[in-house]
Structure formats: structure tokens, C-alpha cells
Amino acid sequence: DERRGQIVDCNRPMLLALVEEAGAEAVDLGIVCDEPGSLRQQLLAALQSADIVVTSGGVSRGSRDHMKPLLEELGQVHFGEMCMKPGKPTTFATVPSPSPTAHSGERHRLAFALPGNPVSCFVTFKLLVVPALEQMLGRPSGAATYARVDAEIAGPIEMDPVRPEYHRALARWSDGKIVAESTGFQRSSRIASVAGTNCFLEIPKRAGVLPKGTIVKALMLPSGGAGSGLWPDPDGYPNQQVPAATETQASSRSPDASLASCTVRQMVGIVAVGAEGDAVVEDLCASLRASVDFAGLELLTRRCAQAAAVQEVCGAVTDLTSGLGPQGPQRCALVLVVSALGLGSADAAVISALQVLLVQGEAANVADLARRAGLSRTPLAMLAPIVAGVRNGCLVVTVPAVAASECAVA
């Protein structure tokens, strides 16, 4: 029976999604059998076309694990083992381009051979590959990829006496502090332990158990989710098409009138949710006007009394993105939903309803940009569920009230 001994292909779709989430282009080279010749041929093909090559599996010490010796043959292995849990056999190498071109020159390729267990694959991609991708995409050298905050563990966590662990957990804001709850059994083959995680807890190597209430460091993961990764236009907003004037109209205008006709009416909608959102509206409007180089910025404000009022919040967003206003046609380039939404069930209902409205796709990279800007103000911005996407040609972004101006200006 050919079905016996097979496993579910979860690493490949997971890695493809993680690459896209990080803002890079993924090239799927499929599954390769554990045979040195086939591996060598496919790896050379990958090195020919990609800047970074990521593999999963075949990197441990089994008789059919050939990735380490193959990378040693083709290039330089910088490390072939890591003192961390999960991800011990992870290997990193640099390999010369198989056939340098005028465009690529002699630039070396980066090769990350990640473990085959799906949790190990996920964690090592987040900790190693994502920072490398961000550097290649132009992120300033030395800038932190993830916010590192103090978190109180919600239950006891057993430590490993040999290796420090990146423990998968779900962080929430509770009683003035960040509380992190383990996602359960942490075996590296249990993909369910990463399905709902939004942070990695740094658990030290030590015998024994960390008791409930212990404060540990946590790396907060961006919650881009399963968005389409829609890239915005260079200025960060969807295009606004201005109809070109006819030749007769253009010739009949004075120079001043011609200049005035070229001014684009820029409209930004602000949905202030709850008392927290309402309290920062004035400062937010002032920051937006100060950051824009033209005087034609028009701000439209809608207020929702309660954060948990799903219909009220969605109604305000629908109104601002409908293209119609009290005085005729109007179109917002951007709608900001300003609130103190957190990780509670009522907050999740609002976010889920907003995501349904984003019928033209989510923009995970825009949400990540807003989150990074918010973190420049306060680490609490990481706990806000930031989503971004497009509805009727309008970019809709949720921003936390604690860092509304920083997120909006970004």
C-alpha cells in the first residue's frame, strides 16, 4: 500500500506562506527524494535562481540526511547545530552562485537547511530566515525584528536542563501587564503548538519548573495572519485616478486655474472607537496634517461609542469606503480605525467582522509597518490586533489608540 508510511505535506505550504508574509517572493521547487544526486541537482537549480535557499528535512544525523555534507561540498557551512529548542540540527551556509551573471556577479547565496519537524521548521524560519530577508529587503542593520518584552507566564513551564527553549505561547494584556499562556504540549512535531501562537517565550536551560507568575522575556510575533500580502503603492495608499482634462478645457484655463485643477482632494477617514479612540482623535488629526505636504487634506471622522459594537464599527467603515457622502461623491484614500481593541473575544469579533469587509484582500505588510511604528512609542502596541486591507479602492487599517499618531503617519 503506497499510502503507508506517508506524512502530511505541511512544511512546504507553511514555508511558502511565511516567505510571502515576510515580503519576499517564494519559488516552490517541490519535494526531493533523500538521494544525494537528486538533492544536488535540485539545490544547484535553486541556487541558480534564488537569493536565499530554504530547505526542510534531511539535516539531522540519520543515514538519509545528506544536506550538511552537500552544503559543505558546495560552499561554506557556518554552523551545523544550534544549542536551542526546537531547531538543534539547523544548518546555515553560504554558497557561490553556480554561474555568475553580469547582474548577480560573484554574490554568494544564503542557504538555510531547517529541520523537518514542522514546529522546528517554523521557529527557525522566524528566528533566522526572517531577519536575513529583512536585511536583504533594506531594513537597517541592527534593527530588531521582533519586540522583546517582559511577560508573566500563566502556568508552570518545565525547563530543559541542556538547551534554552523558544516556547510557543499566546500573550494577552491583563491587569496592566502582559500574560502569556502556553499553547500546550511543545513537541517539535506538534504543529498545533504554533497555530495560535503570537510570541516565543525565552525559557532558560535549567533543571526544574518555572512556577506560574514567573516573568520571562517574550519575542512578540507580527500577526500578519493569512493575508494576501498586497503591496501598497509607493506612497502607501491605493491609486487615485484623476480624469485628464480635454484639450479645449485645458486651453481655456489660466495658469493659476490649471495648477489648481491638478490638486488631488485627499480624504482620510477616522473611525474613533470607544472612549480611548475618541480621546486621541484631535492629536491624530494634528499629526496627519503636519506630516502631509499639501493643504488639501480633508479628514472625515466617525465616532463609535462602544468598542464591542460590531455593527456600529463596520457601519462606519462601510460608510467611509462607499464612495458616497452627504454632499455627493467622496472617496477616502485611507480609513483609520482607532481603538483600544485587545485580545479578548469581543475584540476578536470586531476584527473578524472588519476582515470580512476587506473584499479586495488584506495587506499584511502594511499591518506590519503600522505595528513597527507603534512599537517605537510603546511595546503595548504589539498586543493590539492590527489588520490592514483594501475595500472599494480604500486602504483600511486598524491602529491602537496608545500609538495612533505614530501608526497613522507611517
Side-chain angles (χ1 to χ4, degrees):
D1 188 346
E2 292 183 355
R3 293 173 299 176
R4 294 178 62 84
Q6 295 186 3
I7 59 174
V8 176
D9 178 17
C10 62
N11 283 5
R12 189 163 56 98
M14 177 181 71
L15 288 172
L16 291 172
L18 289 173
V19 169
E20 184 177 350
E21 182 183 270
E25 179 183 353
V27 179
D28 183 4
L29 295 174
I31 300 173
V32 186
C33 65
D34 293 325
E35 191 275 318
S38 298
L39 284 171
R40 192 178 195 279
Q41 181 180 357
Q42 195 73 316
L43 184 57
L44 287 173
L47 292 167
Q48 183 71 40
S49 59
D51 299 297
I52 296 181
V53 176
V54 178
T55 66
S56 69
V59 75
S60 191
R61 298 184 178 182
S63 60
R64 305 298 294 272
D65 293 328
H66 304 298
M67 284 306 302
K68 278 189 178 72
L70 182 56
L71 288 172
E72 288 173 346
E73 173 193 342
L74 297 176
Q76 178 183 358
V77 172
H78 298 275
F79 60 81
E81 199 169 81
M82 300 176 66
C83 185
M84 60 174 277
K85 181 181 179 181
K88 180 180 178 180
T90 302
T91 299
F92 170 66
T94 51
V95 183
S97 174
S99 55
T101 64
H103 172 70
S104 66
E106 297 291 339
R107 181 163 53 88
H108 283 55
R109 306 295 199 249
L110 307 184
F112 293 89
L114 309 183
N117 277 323
V119 175
S120 302
C121 186
F122 177 88
V123 172
T124 52
F125 185 95
K126 285 288 190 180
L127 295 180
L128 301 176
V129 183
V130 171
L133 282 171
E134 292 197 342
Q135 289 287 303
M136 298 184 75
L137 290 170
R139 184 166 173 79
S141 179
T145 300
Y146 307 115
R148 189 168 182 258
V149 300
D150 289 329
E152 177 184 300
I153 59 175
I157 294 180
E158 186 175 357
M159 295 177 287
D160 188 295
V162 178
R163 290 180 289 161
E165 179 183 13
Y166 288 94
H167 194 100
R168 281 73 67 202
L170 179 62
R172 65 180 189 276
W173 183 251
S174 177
D175 297 328
K177 59 181 179 293
I178 297 174
V179 178
E181 186 171 356
S182 172
T183 56
F185 190 42
Q186 298 284 300
R187 174 173 285 180
S188 59
S189 60
R190 183 176 175 264
I191 192 65
S193 73
V194 304
T197 188
N198 65 359
C199 69
F200 294 151
L201 302 181
E202 298 180 6
I203 306 301
K205 61 174 184 178
R206 192 182 307 161
V209 176
L210 289 177
K212 174 183 177 180
T214 302
I215 304 298
V216 299
K217 291 295 183 182
L219 296 178
M220 303 301 298
L221 305 178
S223 54
S228 63
L230 175 69
W231 286 95
D233 293 303
D235 60 355
Y237 304 106
N239 280 320
Q240 285 192 309
Q241 300 296 331
V242 181
T246 63
E247 187 175 346
T248 303
Q249 291 173 325
S251 62
S252 65
R253 293 174 181 159
S254 66
D256 289 343
S258 179
L259 286 173
S261 69
C262 294
T263 301
V264 179
R265 187 186 181 201
Q266 297 289 342
M267 306 181 73
V268 174
I270 299 175
V271 180
V273 182
E276 297 87 350
D278 196 46
V280 301
V281 166
E282 290 188 10
D283 289 341
L284 173 58
C285 292
S287 297
L288 285 172
R289 288 195 172 98
S291 67
V292 177
D293 294 332
F294 47 81
L297 180 65
E298 184 174 347
L299 301 176
L300 305 176
T301 303
R302 302 288 186 272
R303 287 176 165 83
C304 302
Q306 296 182 354
V310 177
Q311 291 184 344
E312 189 177 1
V313 175
C314 291
V317 172
T318 302
D319 177 37
L320 291 170
T321 58
S322 66
L324 295 175
Q327 299 177 349
Q330 70 178 28
R331 180 171 294 282
C332 292
L334 173 69
V335 170
L336 300 170
V337 181
V338 187
S339 69
L341 294 174
L343 302 175
S345 57
D347 302 327
V350 175
I351 292 298
S352 296
L354 287 174
Q355 288 175 315
V356 172
L357 292 179
L358 305 179
V359 294
Q360 289 176 280
E362 292 187 46
N365 59 313
V366 177
D368 188 50
L369 173 66
R371 183 174 294 103
R372 293 178 189 276
L375 289 172
S376 68
R377 173 71 179 270
T378 170
L380 299 182
M382 180 56 71
L383 296 178
I386 299 177
V387 296
V390 180
R391 175 181 172 81
N392 294 340
C394 172
L395 181 64
V396 180
V397 187
T398 63
V399 296
V402 292
S405 294
E406 288 79 4
C407 294
V409 170

